[in-house]
Short mmCIF file of all heavy atoms in Angstrom, two decimals:
data_model
loop_
_atom_site.label_atom_id
_atom_site.label_comp_id
_atom_site.label_asym_id
_atom_site.label_seq_id
_atom_site.Cartn_x
_atom_site.Cartn_y
_atom_site.Cartn_z
N GLU S 11 2.28 0.26 -15.93
CA GLU S 11 2.76 0.97 -17.12
C GLU S 11 2.32 0.24 -18.39
O GLU S 11 2.06 0.87 -19.42
CB GLU S 11 4.28 1.14 -17.08
CG GLU S 11 4.76 2.14 -16.03
CD GLU S 11 4.02 3.49 -16.10
OE1 GLU S 11 3.67 3.94 -17.20
OE2 GLU S 11 3.75 4.07 -15.01
N GLN S 17 -3.57 1.52 -23.05
CA GLN S 17 -4.66 2.49 -23.07
C GLN S 17 -4.36 3.58 -24.10
O GLN S 17 -5.22 3.98 -24.88
CB GLN S 17 -4.85 3.08 -21.68
CG GLN S 17 -5.89 4.19 -21.59
CD GLN S 17 -5.25 5.54 -21.40
OE1 GLN S 17 -4.37 5.72 -20.57
NE2 GLN S 17 -5.67 6.50 -22.20
N GLY S 45 -19.92 18.03 -58.14
CA GLY S 45 -20.86 17.73 -59.21
C GLY S 45 -21.77 18.89 -59.57
O GLY S 45 -22.23 19.02 -60.70
N SER S 46 -22.00 19.77 -58.63
CA SER S 46 -22.98 20.82 -58.86
C SER S 46 -22.48 21.89 -59.83
O SER S 46 -23.26 22.53 -60.51
CB SER S 46 -23.40 21.46 -57.53
OG SER S 46 -22.29 22.12 -56.99
N GLN S 54 -25.28 11.42 -56.67
CA GLN S 54 -25.06 11.32 -55.22
C GLN S 54 -25.37 9.93 -54.69
O GLN S 54 -24.76 9.44 -53.77
CB GLN S 54 -25.85 12.39 -54.44
CG GLN S 54 -27.34 12.29 -54.53
CD GLN S 54 -27.86 13.18 -55.66
OE1 GLN S 54 -27.12 13.49 -56.60
NE2 GLN S 54 -29.11 13.58 -55.56
N LYS S 55 -26.31 9.31 -55.35
CA LYS S 55 -26.69 7.96 -54.90
C LYS S 55 -25.48 7.00 -55.02
O LYS S 55 -25.18 6.25 -54.08
CB LYS S 55 -27.85 7.47 -55.79
CG LYS S 55 -28.30 6.08 -55.50
CD LYS S 55 -29.39 6.10 -54.46
CE LYS S 55 -29.89 4.67 -54.24
NZ LYS S 55 -30.76 4.61 -53.08
N GLN S 89 -5.41 -6.01 -12.11
CA GLN S 89 -6.30 -6.16 -10.97
C GLN S 89 -5.96 -7.42 -10.17
O GLN S 89 -5.93 -7.40 -8.94
CB GLN S 89 -7.74 -6.21 -11.46
CG GLN S 89 -8.73 -6.37 -10.32
CD GLN S 89 -10.16 -6.33 -10.82
OE1 GLN S 89 -10.45 -5.72 -11.84
NE2 GLN S 89 -11.05 -6.96 -10.10
N GLU S 93 -4.71 -7.89 -6.28
CA GLU S 93 -5.40 -8.73 -5.31
C GLU S 93 -4.49 -9.80 -4.73
O GLU S 93 -4.66 -10.23 -3.60
CB GLU S 93 -6.63 -9.37 -5.97
CG GLU S 93 -7.79 -8.40 -6.03
CD GLU S 93 -8.94 -8.89 -6.88
OE1 GLU S 93 -8.83 -9.98 -7.47
OE2 GLU S 93 -9.96 -8.18 -6.93
N HIS S 97 -3.36 -7.41 0.41
CA HIS S 97 -4.54 -8.00 1.03
C HIS S 97 -5.78 -7.33 0.48
O HIS S 97 -6.03 -6.16 0.80
CB HIS S 97 -4.51 -7.81 2.55
CG HIS S 97 -3.38 -8.52 3.22
ND1 HIS S 97 -3.32 -9.90 3.28
CD2 HIS S 97 -2.27 -8.08 3.84
CE1 HIS S 97 -2.22 -10.26 3.92
NE2 HIS S 97 -1.56 -9.17 4.27
N ALA S 107 -17.21 -5.72 15.37
CA ALA S 107 -17.91 -5.01 16.43
C ALA S 107 -18.28 -3.65 15.87
O ALA S 107 -17.47 -3.02 15.21
CB ALA S 107 -17.00 -4.85 17.63
N ASN S 115 -16.00 9.76 17.03
CA ASN S 115 -15.86 11.18 16.71
C ASN S 115 -15.18 11.94 17.83
O ASN S 115 -14.33 12.80 17.58
CB ASN S 115 -17.24 11.80 16.43
CG ASN S 115 -17.78 11.37 15.09
OD1 ASN S 115 -17.02 10.91 14.22
ND2 ASN S 115 -19.07 11.49 14.90
N GLU S 137 -20.40 19.35 11.12
CA GLU S 137 -20.95 18.34 10.21
C GLU S 137 -21.51 17.12 10.94
O GLU S 137 -22.47 16.51 10.51
CB GLU S 137 -19.87 17.88 9.23
CG GLU S 137 -19.92 18.61 7.92
CD GLU S 137 -18.94 18.05 6.92
OE1 GLU S 137 -17.75 17.88 7.24
OE2 GLU S 137 -19.36 17.76 5.80
N MET S 284 -1.77 -1.41 12.56
CA MET S 284 -0.97 -1.68 11.37
C MET S 284 0.01 -2.83 11.63
O MET S 284 0.20 -3.69 10.78
CB MET S 284 -0.21 -0.43 10.98
CG MET S 284 0.58 -0.58 9.73
SD MET S 284 2.03 0.46 9.81
CE MET S 284 3.12 -0.53 10.79
N VAL S 296 -6.97 -18.77 8.28
CA VAL S 296 -7.01 -20.11 8.85
C VAL S 296 -8.38 -20.39 9.47
O VAL S 296 -8.89 -21.49 9.41
CB VAL S 296 -5.91 -20.24 9.92
CG1 VAL S 296 -6.07 -21.52 10.72
CG2 VAL S 296 -4.55 -20.21 9.27
N GLU S 303 -16.84 -18.49 16.03
CA GLU S 303 -15.82 -18.58 17.06
C GLU S 303 -15.01 -17.28 17.12
O GLU S 303 -14.64 -16.80 18.16
CB GLU S 303 -14.89 -19.74 16.72
CG GLU S 303 -14.31 -20.37 17.95
CD GLU S 303 -13.89 -21.79 17.66
OE1 GLU S 303 -14.58 -22.47 16.88
OE2 GLU S 303 -12.88 -22.19 18.20
N ARG S 308 -12.76 -14.63 23.32
CA ARG S 308 -12.44 -13.74 24.44
C ARG S 308 -10.98 -13.34 24.41
O ARG S 308 -10.60 -12.29 24.88
CB ARG S 308 -12.77 -14.43 25.77
CG ARG S 308 -14.25 -14.44 26.08
CD ARG S 308 -14.51 -14.27 27.55
NE ARG S 308 -14.07 -13.01 28.06
CZ ARG S 308 -13.24 -12.88 29.09
NH1 ARG S 308 -12.76 -13.93 29.71
NH2 ARG S 308 -12.89 -11.69 29.51
N LEU S 310 -7.40 -13.62 21.76
CA LEU S 310 -6.87 -14.05 20.47
C LEU S 310 -6.13 -15.37 20.66
O LEU S 310 -5.44 -15.55 21.66
CB LEU S 310 -5.91 -13.00 19.92
CG LEU S 310 -6.50 -11.64 19.57
CD1 LEU S 310 -5.40 -10.64 19.23
CD2 LEU S 310 -7.47 -11.77 18.41
N HIS S 323 2.51 -2.53 29.81
CA HIS S 323 2.28 -3.28 31.03
C HIS S 323 3.27 -4.43 31.15
O HIS S 323 3.69 -5.00 30.15
CB HIS S 323 0.86 -3.85 31.05
CG HIS S 323 -0.18 -2.80 30.88
ND1 HIS S 323 -0.58 -1.99 31.92
CD2 HIS S 323 -0.84 -2.37 29.79
CE1 HIS S 323 -1.47 -1.13 31.47
NE2 HIS S 323 -1.65 -1.33 30.18
N SER S 324 3.63 -4.72 32.41
CA SER S 324 4.47 -5.87 32.64
C SER S 324 3.62 -7.12 32.59
O SER S 324 2.60 -7.21 33.28
CB SER S 324 5.13 -5.77 34.02
OG SER S 324 6.15 -4.81 33.97
N ILE S 325 4.04 -8.04 31.75
CA ILE S 325 3.31 -9.28 31.65
C ILE S 325 4.29 -10.41 31.87
O ILE S 325 5.35 -10.45 31.25
CB ILE S 325 2.66 -9.41 30.26
CG1 ILE S 325 1.48 -8.45 30.20
CG2 ILE S 325 2.21 -10.83 29.99
CD1 ILE S 325 1.06 -8.10 28.83
N VAL S 327 4.80 -14.40 31.65
CA VAL S 327 4.28 -15.67 31.18
C VAL S 327 5.18 -16.76 31.76
O VAL S 327 6.38 -16.75 31.53
CB VAL S 327 4.28 -15.74 29.64
CG1 VAL S 327 3.71 -17.08 29.17
CG2 VAL S 327 3.49 -14.60 29.06
N ARG S 332 3.28 -21.81 30.65
CA ARG S 332 2.89 -20.91 29.56
C ARG S 332 1.66 -20.08 29.91
O ARG S 332 0.98 -19.56 29.02
CB ARG S 332 2.64 -21.69 28.26
CG ARG S 332 3.87 -22.28 27.63
CD ARG S 332 4.58 -21.25 26.77
NE ARG S 332 6.00 -21.55 26.64
CZ ARG S 332 6.94 -20.64 26.50
NH1 ARG S 332 6.62 -19.37 26.49
NH2 ARG S 332 8.21 -20.96 26.40
N ASP S 333 1.33 -20.03 31.20
CA ASP S 333 0.18 -19.23 31.61
C ASP S 333 0.60 -17.79 31.87
O ASP S 333 1.70 -17.53 32.34
CB ASP S 333 -0.44 -19.79 32.89
CG ASP S 333 -1.29 -21.01 32.61
OD1 ASP S 333 -1.64 -21.20 31.42
OD2 ASP S 333 -1.58 -21.76 33.54
N GLY S 347 17.30 -17.34 41.25
CA GLY S 347 17.08 -16.15 40.43
C GLY S 347 16.13 -16.39 39.27
O GLY S 347 15.73 -15.45 38.60
N CYS S 384 6.44 -8.43 42.58
CA CYS S 384 5.52 -7.39 42.14
C CYS S 384 6.16 -6.70 40.94
O CYS S 384 7.20 -6.05 41.10
CB CYS S 384 5.30 -6.37 43.25
SG CYS S 384 3.73 -6.51 43.99
N LEU S 385 5.58 -6.84 39.76
CA LEU S 385 6.25 -6.34 38.56
C LEU S 385 5.99 -4.85 38.34
O LEU S 385 4.97 -4.33 38.73
CB LEU S 385 5.77 -7.13 37.35
CG LEU S 385 6.06 -8.62 37.46
CD1 LEU S 385 5.44 -9.35 36.29
CD2 LEU S 385 7.56 -8.88 37.49
N SER Z 2 -5.99 -17.46 33.24
CA SER Z 2 -5.02 -18.51 33.48
C SER Z 2 -4.98 -19.52 32.35
O SER Z 2 -3.96 -20.12 32.11
CB SER Z 2 -5.32 -19.20 34.80
OG SER Z 2 -6.63 -19.69 34.74
N MET Z 6 -8.60 -21.51 23.76
CA MET Z 6 -8.49 -22.42 22.64
C MET Z 6 -7.14 -23.13 22.72
O MET Z 6 -6.15 -22.53 23.08
CB MET Z 6 -8.54 -21.60 21.36
CG MET Z 6 -8.73 -22.43 20.14
SD MET Z 6 -8.81 -21.38 18.70
CE MET Z 6 -10.49 -20.85 18.78
N LEU Z 12 -7.72 -27.04 12.60
CA LEU Z 12 -8.93 -26.49 12.03
C LEU Z 12 -9.38 -27.34 10.86
O LEU Z 12 -8.61 -28.09 10.29
CB LEU Z 12 -8.66 -25.05 11.59
CG LEU Z 12 -8.47 -24.13 12.80
CD1 LEU Z 12 -7.88 -22.83 12.36
CD2 LEU Z 12 -9.79 -23.92 13.51
N LYS Z 39 1.38 -4.14 2.43
CA LYS Z 39 0.40 -5.05 1.82
C LYS Z 39 -1.02 -4.73 2.27
O LYS Z 39 -1.97 -5.25 1.70
CB LYS Z 39 0.71 -6.49 2.23
CG LYS Z 39 1.83 -7.11 1.44
CD LYS Z 39 1.81 -8.60 1.67
CE LYS Z 39 3.07 -9.24 1.16
NZ LYS Z 39 3.15 -10.63 1.57
N ARG Z 46 -6.15 0.34 -5.40
CA ARG Z 46 -7.25 -0.21 -6.18
C ARG Z 46 -8.26 0.84 -6.61
O ARG Z 46 -8.71 0.84 -7.76
CB ARG Z 46 -7.94 -1.30 -5.35
CG ARG Z 46 -9.10 -1.99 -6.02
CD ARG Z 46 -8.65 -2.88 -7.15
NE ARG Z 46 -9.80 -3.44 -7.84
CZ ARG Z 46 -10.38 -4.59 -7.49
NH1 ARG Z 46 -9.87 -5.28 -6.50
NH2 ARG Z 46 -11.42 -5.03 -8.13
N TYR Z 52 -9.94 4.71 -13.08
CA TYR Z 52 -9.24 4.79 -14.37
C TYR Z 52 -9.90 3.82 -15.35
O TYR Z 52 -10.23 4.17 -16.48
CB TYR Z 52 -7.79 4.42 -14.11
CG TYR Z 52 -6.84 4.39 -15.29
CD1 TYR Z 52 -6.74 5.46 -16.17
CD2 TYR Z 52 -6.00 3.29 -15.49
CE1 TYR Z 52 -5.84 5.44 -17.22
CE2 TYR Z 52 -5.09 3.26 -16.52
CZ TYR Z 52 -5.02 4.33 -17.40
OH TYR Z 52 -4.12 4.30 -18.42
N LYS Z 53 -10.12 2.61 -14.88
CA LYS Z 53 -10.72 1.57 -15.71
C LYS Z 53 -12.10 2.01 -16.19
O LYS Z 53 -12.46 1.84 -17.34
CB LYS Z 53 -10.82 0.30 -14.88
CG LYS Z 53 -11.05 -0.95 -15.68
CD LYS Z 53 -10.66 -2.18 -14.88
CE LYS Z 53 -11.81 -2.64 -14.03
NZ LYS Z 53 -11.47 -3.85 -13.24
N ALA Z 78 -27.67 6.32 -47.97
CA ALA Z 78 -27.44 5.61 -49.22
C ALA Z 78 -28.70 4.84 -49.63
O ALA Z 78 -28.96 4.68 -50.82
CB ALA Z 78 -26.27 4.64 -49.08
N ARG Z 84 -29.52 16.05 -54.08
CA ARG Z 84 -28.13 16.44 -53.86
C ARG Z 84 -27.99 17.27 -52.57
O ARG Z 84 -27.16 17.00 -51.74
CB ARG Z 84 -27.64 17.25 -55.06
CG ARG Z 84 -26.21 17.77 -54.91
CD ARG Z 84 -25.85 18.55 -56.14
NE ARG Z 84 -26.08 17.74 -57.34
CZ ARG Z 84 -25.12 17.36 -58.17
NH1 ARG Z 84 -23.88 17.74 -57.94
NH2 ARG Z 84 -25.38 16.64 -59.21
N GLU Z 112 -8.30 10.43 -18.56
CA GLU Z 112 -7.56 9.17 -18.40
C GLU Z 112 -6.14 9.44 -17.92
O GLU Z 112 -5.63 8.78 -17.03
CB GLU Z 112 -7.52 8.41 -19.73
CG GLU Z 112 -8.80 7.68 -20.06
CD GLU Z 112 -8.82 7.18 -21.51
OE1 GLU Z 112 -7.98 7.63 -22.32
OE2 GLU Z 112 -9.65 6.34 -21.82
N ARG Z 120 -0.13 6.44 -10.41
CA ARG Z 120 1.34 6.46 -10.25
C ARG Z 120 1.73 7.14 -8.94
O ARG Z 120 2.61 6.67 -8.24
CB ARG Z 120 1.96 7.20 -11.43
CG ARG Z 120 1.83 6.46 -12.73
CD ARG Z 120 2.74 7.04 -13.82
NE ARG Z 120 2.51 6.34 -15.06
CZ ARG Z 120 1.71 6.81 -16.03
NH1 ARG Z 120 1.14 7.99 -15.90
NH2 ARG Z 120 1.52 6.11 -17.13
N ARG Z 141 -0.35 8.40 6.93
CA ARG Z 141 -1.29 7.30 6.80
C ARG Z 141 -2.50 7.52 7.71
O ARG Z 141 -3.64 7.30 7.31
CB ARG Z 141 -0.64 5.96 7.11
CG ARG Z 141 -1.61 4.82 6.79
CD ARG Z 141 -1.12 3.51 7.28
NE ARG Z 141 -0.61 3.70 8.62
CZ ARG Z 141 0.36 3.01 9.14
NH1 ARG Z 141 0.93 2.08 8.46
NH2 ARG Z 141 0.79 3.27 10.36
N TYR Z 149 -12.51 7.85 6.69
CA TYR Z 149 -13.61 7.78 7.67
C TYR Z 149 -14.61 8.91 7.44
O TYR Z 149 -15.82 8.69 7.38
CB TYR Z 149 -13.02 7.85 9.08
CG TYR Z 149 -14.06 7.97 10.18
CD1 TYR Z 149 -14.74 6.86 10.65
CD2 TYR Z 149 -14.34 9.20 10.75
CE1 TYR Z 149 -15.68 6.97 11.66
CE2 TYR Z 149 -15.27 9.33 11.77
CZ TYR Z 149 -15.94 8.21 12.23
OH TYR Z 149 -16.86 8.33 13.22
N TYR Z 156 -18.21 15.51 4.37
CA TYR Z 156 -17.39 15.85 3.20
C TYR Z 156 -16.53 17.09 3.43
O TYR Z 156 -15.36 17.12 3.04
CB TYR Z 156 -18.27 16.06 1.98
CG TYR Z 156 -19.04 14.81 1.60
CD1 TYR Z 156 -20.37 14.64 1.96
CD2 TYR Z 156 -18.41 13.77 0.91
CE1 TYR Z 156 -21.06 13.49 1.64
CE2 TYR Z 156 -19.08 12.62 0.59
CZ TYR Z 156 -20.41 12.48 0.97
OH TYR Z 156 -21.09 11.33 0.67
N ASP Z 157 -17.11 18.13 4.05
CA ASP Z 157 -16.32 19.36 4.23
C ASP Z 157 -15.08 19.08 5.07
O ASP Z 157 -13.99 19.54 4.76
CB ASP Z 157 -17.17 20.44 4.92
CG ASP Z 157 -18.30 20.90 4.02
OD1 ASP Z 157 -18.23 20.58 2.81
OD2 ASP Z 157 -19.24 21.53 4.52
N THR Z 158 -15.28 18.32 6.15
CA THR Z 158 -14.14 18.01 7.00
C THR Z 158 -13.10 17.22 6.22
O THR Z 158 -11.90 17.47 6.33
CB THR Z 158 -14.60 17.20 8.23
OG1 THR Z 158 -15.78 17.79 8.75
CG2 THR Z 158 -13.53 17.17 9.30
N GLN Z 308 -9.79 -1.67 15.52
CA GLN Z 308 -10.16 -2.94 16.14
C GLN Z 308 -8.94 -3.83 16.30
O GLN Z 308 -8.73 -4.43 17.35
CB GLN Z 308 -11.21 -3.66 15.29
CG GLN Z 308 -12.56 -2.99 15.36
CD GLN Z 308 -13.67 -3.93 14.92
OE1 GLN Z 308 -13.55 -5.13 15.00
NE2 GLN Z 308 -14.76 -3.36 14.45
N ASP Z 328 -1.00 4.48 27.79
CA ASP Z 328 -1.74 3.41 27.14
C ASP Z 328 -3.09 3.97 26.68
O ASP Z 328 -3.85 4.50 27.49
CB ASP Z 328 -1.97 2.28 28.15
CG ASP Z 328 -2.68 1.09 27.52
OD1 ASP Z 328 -3.19 1.23 26.39
OD2 ASP Z 328 -2.71 0.03 28.16
N TYR Z 344 -9.09 -10.16 24.09
CA TYR Z 344 -7.81 -9.77 24.69
C TYR Z 344 -6.67 -10.27 23.83
O TYR Z 344 -6.82 -11.23 23.07
CB TYR Z 344 -7.67 -10.39 26.08
CG TYR Z 344 -8.48 -9.72 27.14
CD1 TYR Z 344 -9.70 -10.25 27.55
CD2 TYR Z 344 -8.02 -8.56 27.76
CE1 TYR Z 344 -10.46 -9.63 28.53
CE2 TYR Z 344 -8.77 -7.93 28.74
CZ TYR Z 344 -9.99 -8.48 29.13
OH TYR Z 344 -10.72 -7.86 30.10
N HIS Z 348 2.90 -14.84 24.55
CA HIS Z 348 3.69 -16.06 24.67
C HIS Z 348 4.97 -15.82 25.45
O HIS Z 348 5.63 -16.75 25.87
CB HIS Z 348 4.03 -16.61 23.29
CG HIS Z 348 3.02 -17.58 22.80
ND1 HIS Z 348 3.18 -18.30 21.65
CD2 HIS Z 348 1.82 -17.96 23.31
CE1 HIS Z 348 2.12 -19.07 21.47
NE2 HIS Z 348 1.29 -18.88 22.46
N SER Z 350 7.21 -13.25 28.28
CA SER Z 350 7.13 -12.22 29.31
C SER Z 350 7.65 -10.90 28.76
O SER Z 350 8.59 -10.88 27.96
CB SER Z 350 7.98 -12.61 30.51
OG SER Z 350 7.51 -13.82 31.05
N LYS Z 351 6.97 -9.83 29.19
CA LYS Z 351 7.47 -8.51 28.82
C LYS Z 351 7.39 -7.67 30.08
O LYS Z 351 6.32 -7.46 30.62
CB LYS Z 351 6.59 -7.89 27.74
CG LYS Z 351 6.83 -8.49 26.40
CD LYS Z 351 5.98 -7.85 25.36
CE LYS Z 351 5.99 -8.70 24.12
NZ LYS Z 351 4.79 -9.52 24.00
N VAL Z 353 7.92 -4.13 31.88
CA VAL Z 353 8.10 -2.71 31.67
C VAL Z 353 8.45 -2.10 33.02
O VAL Z 353 7.73 -2.28 34.00
CB VAL Z 353 6.80 -2.08 31.12
CG1 VAL Z 353 6.98 -0.59 30.93
CG2 VAL Z 353 6.41 -2.74 29.81
N GLY Z 373 10.27 -7.63 47.14
CA GLY Z 373 9.67 -8.36 46.02
C GLY Z 373 9.29 -7.49 44.84
O GLY Z 373 8.86 -7.99 43.81
N VAL Z 375 9.90 -5.25 41.52
CA VAL Z 375 10.88 -5.40 40.45
C VAL Z 375 11.03 -4.08 39.67
O VAL Z 375 10.02 -3.46 39.30
CB VAL Z 375 10.42 -6.52 39.49
CG1 VAL Z 375 11.42 -6.69 38.34
CG2 VAL Z 375 10.27 -7.83 40.24
N ARG Z 396 6.83 2.46 45.14
CA ARG Z 396 5.45 2.05 45.36
C ARG Z 396 5.13 1.79 46.84
O ARG Z 396 3.98 1.88 47.23
CB ARG Z 396 5.13 0.82 44.52
CG ARG Z 396 4.85 1.20 43.06
CD ARG Z 396 4.57 0.00 42.19
NE ARG Z 396 5.79 -0.69 41.79
CZ ARG Z 396 5.82 -1.70 40.93
NH1 ARG Z 396 4.69 -2.13 40.39
NH2 ARG Z 396 6.95 -2.29 40.61
N TYR Z 410 16.03 -13.78 36.60
CA TYR Z 410 16.18 -14.24 35.22
C TYR Z 410 14.81 -14.56 34.67
O TYR Z 410 14.12 -15.45 35.15
CB TYR Z 410 17.07 -15.49 35.18
CG TYR Z 410 18.45 -15.22 35.68
CD1 TYR Z 410 18.80 -15.44 37.01
CD2 TYR Z 410 19.42 -14.70 34.82
CE1 TYR Z 410 20.07 -15.16 37.48
CE2 TYR Z 410 20.69 -14.42 35.28
CZ TYR Z 410 21.01 -14.65 36.62
OH TYR Z 410 22.27 -14.37 37.08
#
Side-chain angles (χ1 to χ4, degrees):
Chain S
E11 289 310 324
Q17 175 252 313
S46 66
Q54 64 266 24
K55 177 90 177 170
Q89 180 176 333
E93 280 171 357
H97 295 292
N115 286 341
E137 265 186 309
M284 183 211 81
V296 170
E303 210 157 324
R308 283 216 64 235
L310 295 172
H323 304 281
S324 285
I325 286 160
V327 181
R332 290 276 155 212
D333 282 344
C384 253
L385 300 175
Chain Z
S2 58
M6 193 179 278
L12 290 166
K39 281 194 193 171
R46 180 71 184 271
Y52 179 51
K53 196 160 87 180
R84 177 180 306 244
E112 282 168 345
R120 292 194 183 98
R141 187 189 44 211
Y149 172 81
Y156 299 100
D157 293 345
T158 315
Q308 289 199 26
D328 183 348
Y344 284 99
H348 269 187
S350 299
K351 285 181 194 100
V353 179
V375 179
R396 281 178 281 186
Y410 298 94

